[in-house]
Amino acid sequence: MTDQAASLRQLARPHTGALPPMFALTGARRSGVSSLCAGLAAAAALAGQRPLLLDHQNGQTLSRLAGVPASATLGGLRVSRGGLTDLMVASRHDVTLVNLAASPDERSRLSERIWQRLGSEFSALEKDCGVTLIDAPDPALDPVPLLIADNLVLVITPQPEAIMRGYACMKRLATDFGRRRFNVLVNRVHGQDEAHAAFGRLSSVAGDYLGVSMRWVGFVPEDAAVRKSEALRRPVVEAFPGSEAALAFAQLAAMLPLWHAPDSGHTRTSYLEQLHETGKALAVPTER
């Protein structure tokens, strides 16, 4: 397995802010975003990084991939009941998973009282973690998690459709919401050459039309061990630690905090506070 971290070590600088670096992963449907989130989180946990994993997708996919029981979702919380413990579960590998799945409309119906309670509880949890990973929803359906994350990781596969859908996602975030920096991670490839070729096709299109900054951060190979580990409901880094995919996850997780290069230089507040406030701001009609 090629050491993917070598080319980044010369440039990387560790994060020194009050809150841990935050990475939101997004990409075309069936590009394996949830699988990558779970794999990176497990590898980061085994490396002692204390990852916080935030699930914004419906269906409890991350809980299955992490091998933990399903929890309540943010959208399912009642106005006067429920707290962070209802949404949270920890894996035996020390991954903390918080299920924030909710549509913008469901979030808007939660009372200010419950937002205050959740925000206070979440803030303490957030500060105690080393890195935050977000399984973000499609920005066409709910852009808020991708707007407030420090760093964006666009996931593509070598298939032309996945590259074009990745481009469409990038275009929406750049054109409509001013995001300019994108880390690109290529999934399910048969080697570094194929991964670089996929990145090259994306960058040639985006570079001509979007004016964004794209950074190659690595790849995860196509590996039957990933499918086997998902069937076992165990992270591939635990179930098949010698597999190519497990080695890739370990290398990428080691470099993950060093990818930190947010669009904005502003000090950010707690994620749940930003989720609530940004959602309210986007819901206000634009004056003509």
Side-chain angles (χ1 to χ4, degrees), residues 126-137:
E126 189 176 27
K127 291 176 181 177
D128 192 48
C129 292
V131 63
T132 300
L133 291 162
I134 303 168
D135 188 355

Side-chain angles (χ1 to χ4, degrees), residues 147-271:
L147 302 189
I148 62 180
D150 290 338
N151 308 276
L152 303 181
V153 181
L154 181 67
V155 178
I156 62 172
T157 64
Q159 287 67 40
E161 181 182 359
I163 293 173
M164 293 311 298
R165 287 183 179 273
Y167 169 78
C169 177
M170 187 186 303
K171 180 179 179 180
R172 176 179 291 272
L173 291 168
T175 303
D176 295 346
F177 302 108
R179 296 305 303 250
R180 287 288 177 262
R181 296 182 181 179
F182 295 85
N183 299 294
V184 180
L185 181 59
V186 189
N187 194 24
R188 298 171 180 163
V189 297
H190 294 95
Q192 184 166 294
D193 289 344
E194 185 179 37
H196 274 297
F199 176 75
R201 289 194 292 272
L202 176 67
S203 60
S204 65
V205 177
D208 290 340
Y209 297 105
L210 296 185
V212 297
S213 172
M214 289 184 297
R215 178 171 57 173
W216 156 273
V217 292
F219 69 94
V220 175
E222 180 72 59
D223 192 341
V226 174
R227 294 189 295 276
K228 291 178 182 178
S229 68
E230 291 174 358
L232 295 170
R233 296 194 175 190
R234 296 168 61 195
V236 69
V237 293
E238 177 208 3
F240 304 102
S243 65
E244 286 197 348
L247 294 175
F249 278 127
Q251 291 176 7
L252 293 169
M255 289 303 299
L256 185 63
L258 306 182
W259 297 350
H260 182 64
D263 276 347
S264 171
H266 299 299
T267 301
R268 67 177 173 88
T269 56
S270 176
Y271 179 76

Side-chain angles (χ1 to χ4, degrees), residues 61 74 81 113 118 213 250-251 267 274 276:
T61 298
L74 178 62
R81 298 182 182 180
R113 180 179 177 182
L118 289 173
S213 172
Q251 291 176 7
T267 301
Q274 291 185 90
H276 182 39

Side-chain angles (χ1 to χ4, degrees), residues 103-131:
S103 68
D105 186 57
E106 287 173 327
R107 289 199 301 263
S108 71
R109 291 201 299 264
L110 293 175
S111 68
E112 289 295 328
R113 180 179 177 182
I114 200 167
W115 276 112
Q116 290 172 4
R117 182 165 67 250
L118 289 173
S120 176
E121 295 170 348
F122 187 87
S123 181
L125 172 68
E126 189 176 27
K127 291 176 181 177
D128 192 48
C129 292
V131 63

Side-chain angles (χ1 to χ4, degrees), residues 48-64:
Q49 293 185 33
R50 306 186 321 280
L52 175 60
L53 186 54
L54 307 182
D55 188 2
H56 279 278
Q57 304 282 9
N58 292 318
Q60 302 282 355
T61 298
L62 274 185
S63 63
R64 293 196 298 272

